[in-house]
Amino acid sequence: MTLRRTPVTRGSVDAPVGPPTPLEPERRRRFAELTGSWRAALRIARRESRRARRRTALVLAMIALPVLVLAFLAASYDMAELTPREQLDRRLGVADAELRWFADTPVVQDEWGDTWYPRDDGQSAMSRPTTADEVTALLGPGSRVTEIRAGSPVTVRGPRGDETLQAWILDLTDPLARGLVRFRSGRAPQQPGEVALSPTALRRLDGRLGEAVPTADRARTYTVVGVVEFPDDLGPVIALHPAAVGRADAQPDSRWLIDVPGTVDAAMVARLNERGVVVARRHVPASTTSSRSLIGYVGPADTSDLSTMVLIAGLGLLEVVLLVGPAFAVGVRRRRRDLALVAVAGGDAAHLRRVVLADGVVLGVLGAAAGLLLGVGAAFAGRPLMEQYVFGARFGAYRCWPLALVVLGGVAVLAGVLAALAPAWTAARQDVMAGLAGRRTPPPPRARALVSGLALVLGGAALAAFGASRTSPAVILAGLILGELGLVCCTPTLIGGLARLGRVLPPAPRIALRDASRNRAAAAPAICAVMAAVAGSVALGGYLASDAVRDARTYQPLLPTGHVLVNRDDPALRPEPTLEQVSTAAREHLGASAVALVQGTACPSVGGPASYCSVVPELPPDHACPFQPGDNLSATQRRQALADPRCRDRAADYFGSYVQTLVDDGSALPLLTGADPAATTAATAVLHAGGVVVTDPRYLHDGLVTVQVNEVRAGRDEVTTTRWDLPGYALMPTSGQPRLLLSATAARQLALKPVSNGWVIDTSTPPSQRRQDRFTADLRAFGTFYLQVEQGAAPRDDSPLLLLLAAAAGVITMGAAGIATALAAAEGRAELSTLAAVGAAPAVRRLLAICQAGVIAVLGSVLGIVAGLGTAAIVLFSANREYATAWPALEPYPYLVPWPALGVLVLVPVVAMFGAGLFTRARLPIERRLD
């Protein structure tokens, strides 16, 4: 509210004459005035919060909800992050120390035993498993040791299929090992055929104590004798007796828990380090303990991620400010007479601003306190659920990360103050006489706000484009924030322009536009909140939709669509199934029409064993691209490379320079390549004649293919290369990576031995996961099988993400529209009474509420869609400019509209308007004014 006072001229008759006031008393006086003014403002704000309880509850809910969620996450994360002391207690149990024997040479370790490195240049790793007697001999008489090993996962049969359990090998009858687990029921395994299961594993298997659990291949059967919980792994775990698993080789995951008569001091640690043993002891000097900081150490690689997180938090803070702002604006209008009385009593513009800002401080403090208390309480109460289903491990002590909570509380108070900032400036500019009379005096639009807003929009767009060209998410987000702030500044002017168009509309929408124009301080933030949410959803949705299409264009299938490649794990341990056995299982469970054996090549054995060999086709010089992918080309060279047809090989760009070499007689060729029958017949004839087939025509020259055999002999560093020119046939580019198929005659000529690599299966449609599980279960007796199913397109899961983004934007849109409509209804109660007095129908009130919600939701959604599409276009255009000059050539991003997200966002305003009409009473209020 503007106050005009007559200035007093220095040296005039009315001015007091005397010695100058000392500086220190003057500062004290100003400080006392400032504190007294704030105390009065805070008392007024506290009283107002009690009087307007519904508006106070609304503001508190909007401030406290994000604080509650973040406080819950902060407390849960702090409890999940174990301190070094808690980590040691969990690793050691009741033992004095943990030993890990890594080498036969001295090592150097840190105090906690987490990291180590060899002291000398020559490190001799352990090549054999250590025994308990050897470890005990290092410690001396009176010591006890027990070994803990992480075993390979164990696959067992369950009621709903095979279940894979993480295996731990330890003797739970030993008190040292027993301290690592928590027994729920039963006893410790005492024989090789007895096991203990975790509660999760027991639930998945629907088992009970005393039941038998067979392995997937039915080679062994275990009896469940106990239920134990591993605090570090709450998933499906099986505890095996040490006698159940042999120890043929050195175990890198093996550790020993020890109990010594005295303490494990620094001298013992040094002595064990000399033998290559790393020690984690319980008694660690206090000087090595560390305290948690808010963000920890931030290195150069983490700066970009940290700045991105800060900017995302800033966007969230801005969204909260925009949602809370209308409530403060309505509060200022309802209190305009009280504020005018403050001005009449001698308060200046600064006092009036403090009164309104004090509302933000009080409500921010209350919202922060409520959110922090509820968030920490929810974290403590929901701790078991977070341990089991989110983190998969037990937490440490109950704690809540006080520093993070202080920051969250400060941000909540800041949000309240920022939300009250614009209404405070508006209150300080109102006319005192109009406030005393209760008249509305909307401030005239300022051209300065429009100019500033347009400048911010253009600057933000330029900054976002620059960030996209440099692939910097932090810079892109900074540009989006600037652009959003610019649109916030432009929105009041836009509302005023739309209100002028309401003259040609019916009464209800005309009144809605007029109220939005008069109450711009409340309508503009709500519209901007909707715009920000919709713009973010549309921008990210447009980028993801374009990225999905780009990935689909660049995707190169490994096999024809629906075909399956079957590989076997550890083929040397189990006998290989015959082709007939695999074909029978494939026809029964996968609906296969054809099955073929896939054979690779083994190194030649002539002249001694080779430690490495490779068989690849040689590209003729006149068919090879003169530029390599890693070359740093100039602009002229890039243009030459992009125009050279020899450099346009999408398969080579996708799969790299690797060429898969196989041995085939023509049976696997059509299943691997998907070639047509005529090409398959011609290629099979070449293979039967002793030739080779390539899937890249560039390798064929004069009807021949040059094949290189590169060998590295054991004990030698040089590479021996042998070249052979063999009759060849080139298939036209089909599907799959580049391949070289050798006939059996050509393989013998190159002194290569065919070895089984798996099987390829032809199916009409990609089999489901359930059918794949049945197929592998049928062949479980021959080992573990892995299937690669060609779906025909790159796997994508962004469609649910797009819908989630649109749903989140829709929730914000309906929330902002509902809040603004409710506040407008409370503010316009006098206008509704006037409508009732002049004979308006009861449905007019409901129609007016629908129009008021429509102004907020429709205008915010339209602005958000336009801003989001513009943002996505800027980002994609900048990225495509970089791709246009890249080498190798990259597929550009297409400009697409995320229609699923737009469909949801277009429907949301309709839902918001329908909800406003549904929850609004149709009966108009009739009030009697007493003068």
Side-chain angles (χ1 to χ4, degrees):
M1 296 184 181
T2 305
L3 299 178
R4 300 184 180 276
R5 295 183 178 180
T6 304
V8 180
T9 306
R10 294 184 180 271
S12 62
V13 177
D14 297 331
V17 180
T21 306
L23 184 59
E24 190 65 26
E26 179 67 18
R27 290 179 178 175
R28 293 179 181 176
R29 184 184 62 81
R30 291 180 179 178
F31 179 76
E33 291 179 354
L34 181 63
T35 55
S37 175
W38 272 108
R39 281 198 300 268
L42 292 174
R43 286 197 301 269
I44 296 174
R46 184 182 60 185
R47 182 195 64 186
E48 183 63 23
S49 65
R50 294 177 178 176
R51 292 171 57 184
R53 296 184 178 180
R54 294 183 178 178
R55 188 168 66 247
T56 300
L58 177 64
V59 174
L60 288 180
M62 288 188 289
I63 293 178
L65 184 59
V67 175
L68 184 152
V69 174
L70 294 176
F72 175 84
L73 295 177
S76 299
Y77 172 78
D78 194 30
M79 291 187 291
E81 285 291 313
L82 302 181
T83 63
R85 181 67 62 185
E86 290 172 339
Q87 292 177 5
L88 270 184
D89 292 339
R90 187 162 293 184
R91 288 169 59 182
L92 302 182
V94 298
D96 293 332
E98 174 196 271
L99 306 184
R100 290 176 295 165
W101 203 332
F102 288 114
D104 291 329
T105 54
V107 296
V108 179
Q109 68 167 81
D110 64 346
E111 288 289 344
W112 298 100
D114 293 329
T115 59
W116 65 276
Y117 58 90
R119 191 181 65 185
D120 303 326
D121 295 336
Q123 178 188 355
S124 176
M126 291 293 295
S127 58
R128 58 178 179 79
T130 56
T131 63
D133 294 337
E134 291 176 325
V135 178
T136 305
L138 292 178
L139 303 175
S143 302
R144 294 189 304 109
V145 300
T146 187
E147 186 182 19
I148 311 296
R149 284 185 287 161
S152 301
V154 177
T155 304
V156 299
R157 287 187 176 271
R160 290 172 294 274
D162 294 346
E163 297 286 348
T164 301
L165 311 179
Q166 176 61 43
W168 283 98
I169 306 167
L170 71 169
D171 185 7
L172 291 178
T173 60
D174 193 317
L176 292 178
R178 194 181 182 94
L180 299 179
V181 301
R182 300 173 184 175
F183 266 89
R184 295 295 185 88
S185 60
R187 59 175 177 83
Q190 300 176 355
Q191 299 176 4
E194 296 179 344
V195 297
L197 298 179
S198 66
T200 302
L202 200 66
R203 285 194 300 269
R204 290 191 179 183
L205 298 176
D206 289 340
R208 294 188 299 271
L209 291 178
E211 288 188 350
V213 177
T215 57
D217 56 3
R218 298 193 180 275
R220 300 193 63 174
T221 300
Y222 298 105
T223 302
V224 181
V225 297
V227 180
V228 297
E229 176 186 284
F230 290 82
D232 277 341
D233 188 356
L234 300 181
V237 181
I238 182 172
L240 301 172
H241 192 272
V245 182
R247 302 179 71 252
D249 300 323
Q251 303 290 326
D253 295 332
S254 175
R255 55 194 179 102
W256 296 86
L257 298 182
I258 66 171
D259 179 27
V260 296
T263 60
V264 181
D265 53 10
M268 179 179 289
V269 173
R271 180 167 56 83
L272 293 174
N273 290 161
E274 289 291 329
R275 300 294 301 272
V277 179
V278 178
V279 184
R281 51 176 173 157
R282 183 178 301 278
H283 304 286
V284 180
S287 59
T288 61
T289 59
S290 59
S291 59
R292 180 190 301 278
S293 61
L294 183 61
I295 57 175
Y297 170 73
V298 180
D302 301 327
T303 304
S304 177
D305 294 338
L306 180 61
S307 58
T308 302
M309 291 174 57
V310 171
L311 290 173
I312 292 176
L315 282 173
L317 177 64
L318 179 60
E319 191 72 23
V320 173
V321 169
L322 293 176
L323 287 173
V324 176
F328 285 107
V330 171
V332 168
R333 287 199 304 272
R334 295 177 69 88
R335 298 164 55 194
R336 55 184 175 268
R337 179 176 175 83
D338 296 339
L339 295 174
L341 291 176
V342 172
V344 170
D348 55 9
H351 291 111
L352 297 178
R353 285 194 294 267
R354 288 172 195 149
V355 170
V356 180
L357 290 176
D359 292 343
V361 174
V362 170
L363 296 180
V365 170
L366 294 177
L372 293 177
L373 291 176
L374 293 176
V376 173
F380 287 171
R383 171 174 167 146
L385 298 177
M386 295 292 290
E387 290 174 337
Q388 182 68 44
Y389 298 106
V390 179
F391 289 89
R394 293 299 178 195
F395 291 172
Y398 281 90
R399 47 182 178 264
C400 57
W401 203 351
L403 184 57
L405 298 186
V406 170
V407 173
L408 289 178
V411 171
V413 176
L414 178 63
V417 173
L418 292 178
L421 188 61
W425 283 99
T426 302
R429 294 167 50 203
Q430 294 292 337
D431 184 77
V432 177
M433 298 304 297
L436 291 175
R439 297 193 306 269
R440 292 183 177 181
T441 56
R446 290 189 175 186
R448 183 174 59 185
L450 179 61
V451 173
S452 301
L454 294 177
L456 286 175
V457 170
L458 295 178
L463 187 60
F466 176 77
S469 64
R470 295 296 184 270
T471 319
S472 175
V475 178
I476 294 175
L477 284 175
L480 294 180
I481 292 176
L482 287 180
E484 185 175 335
L485 290 175
L487 291 176
V488 169
C489 297
C490 297
T491 302
T493 304
L494 179 62
I495 295 174
L498 291 176
R500 298 187 183 94
L501 302 178
R503 301 171 182 175
V504 298
L505 297 177
R510 184 166 67 246
I511 295 174
L513 283 175
R514 184 206 62 184
D515 288 346
S517 178
R518 289 181 176 180
N519 306 325
R520 298 180 193 180
I527 293 173
C528 292
V530 175
M531 176 196 66
V534 173
S537 175
V538 172
L540 188 56
Y543 173 79
L544 292 177
S546 300
D547 186 60
V549 174
R550 178 175 178 267
D551 287 347
R553 291 177 179 176
T554 58
Y555 177 73
Q556 296 290 322
L558 182 66
L559 298 168
T561 302
H563 289 202
V564 181
L565 189 62
V566 182
N567 299 104
R568 193 163 63 105
D569 188 22
D570 295 334
L573 300 180
R574 302 281 181 87
E576 181 177 295
T578 63
L579 180 61
E580 181 62 28
Q581 290 172 325
V582 176
S583 300
T584 301
R587 292 189 182 96
E588 180 180 356
H589 303 292
L590 302 180
S593 58
V595 181
L597 177 66
V598 178
Q599 292 182 307
T601 58
C603 295
S605 57
V606 179
S611 60
Y612 169 78
C613 75
S614 64
V615 182
V616 294
E618 183 178 88
L619 193 64
D622 56 340
H623 293 177
C625 178
F627 307 102
Q628 298 301 320
D631 295 343
N632 187 13
L633 306 182
S634 62
T636 303
Q637 291 174 331
R638 280 197 299 268
R639 287 193 295 269
Q640 295 175 355
L642 295 176
D644 195 334
R646 297 173 298 175
C647 303
R648 301 175 185 173
D649 187 7
R650 296 181 60 186
D653 294 339
Y654 189 84
F655 292 105
S657 59
Y658 173 71
V659 178
Q660 185 182 23
T661 302
L662 303 173
V663 178
D664 186 37
D665 59 356
S667 58
L669 185 146
L671 306 185
L672 291 172
T673 62
D676 58 83
T680 300
T681 302
T684 303
V686 172
L687 291 175
H688 287 170
V692 300
V693 175
V694 290
T695 58
D696 189 345
R698 296 181 304 164
Y699 290 103
L700 186 66
H701 60 93
D702 300 329
L704 301 175
V705 174
T706 301
V707 179
Q708 292 183 5
V709 179
N710 304 310
E711 300 179 60
V712 179
R713 295 292 177 179
R716 301 179 183 179
D717 294 334
E718 66 272 7
V719 179
T720 303
T721 302
T722 306
R723 291 178 174 84
W724 301 77
D725 288 331
L726 302 175
Y729 181 83
L731 289 173
M732 294 305 295
T734 54
S735 61
Q737 66 186 87
R739 292 186 177 94
L740 168 65
L741 285 85
L742 304 174
S743 62
T745 303
R748 286 192 299 269
Q749 184 177 354
L750 300 177
L752 299 175
K753 179 182 178 182
V755 293
S756 176
N757 274 7
W759 300 265
V760 59
I761 302 173
D762 181 7
T763 61
S764 57
T765 57
S768 63
Q769 186 62 44
R770 187 175 183 85
R771 296 170 65 187
Q772 297 178 43
D773 294 339
R774 291 175 178 174
F775 171 78
T776 55
D778 198 356
L779 299 176
R780 184 67 67 185
F782 300 98
T784 304
F785 291 80
Y786 300 98
L787 276 63
Q788 300 182 46
V789 180
E790 181 56 58
Q791 303 290 341
R796 301 291 298 185
D797 57 351
D798 289 332
S799 295
L801 179 59
L802 290 177
L803 295 179
L804 287 176
L805 291 172
V811 170
I812 294 177
T813 300
M814 289 187 290
I819 292 170
T821 303
L823 294 174
E827 178 69 12
R829 192 174 181 86
E831 285 78 359
L832 294 177
S833 300
T834 304
L835 288 175
V838 298
V844 173
R845 180 180 183 182
R846 181 166 291 170
L847 182 60
L848 179 60
I850 292 175
C851 294
Q852 288 173 336
V855 169
I856 303 298
V858 173
L859 186 56
S861 297
V862 170
L863 291 177
I865 291 174
V866 173
L869 293 177
T871 301
I874 291 174
V875 173
L876 296 177
F877 175 76
S878 302
N880 288 340
R881 286 194 59 186
E882 289 294 313
Y883 289 169
T885 59
W887 170 253
L890 299 176
E891 182 74 21
Y893 285 98
Y895 295 95
L896 297 177
V897 177
W899 293 112
L902 288 187
V904 175
L905 295 176
V906 169
L907 184 62
V908 165
V910 178
V911 176
M913 296 168 64
F914 176 77
L918 182 65
F919 292 102
T920 300
R921 291 185 301 176
R923 188 172 61 87
L924 292 170
I926 299 178
E927 297 180 351
R928 177 179 298 176
R929 178 176 298 178
L930 298 177
D931 297 328

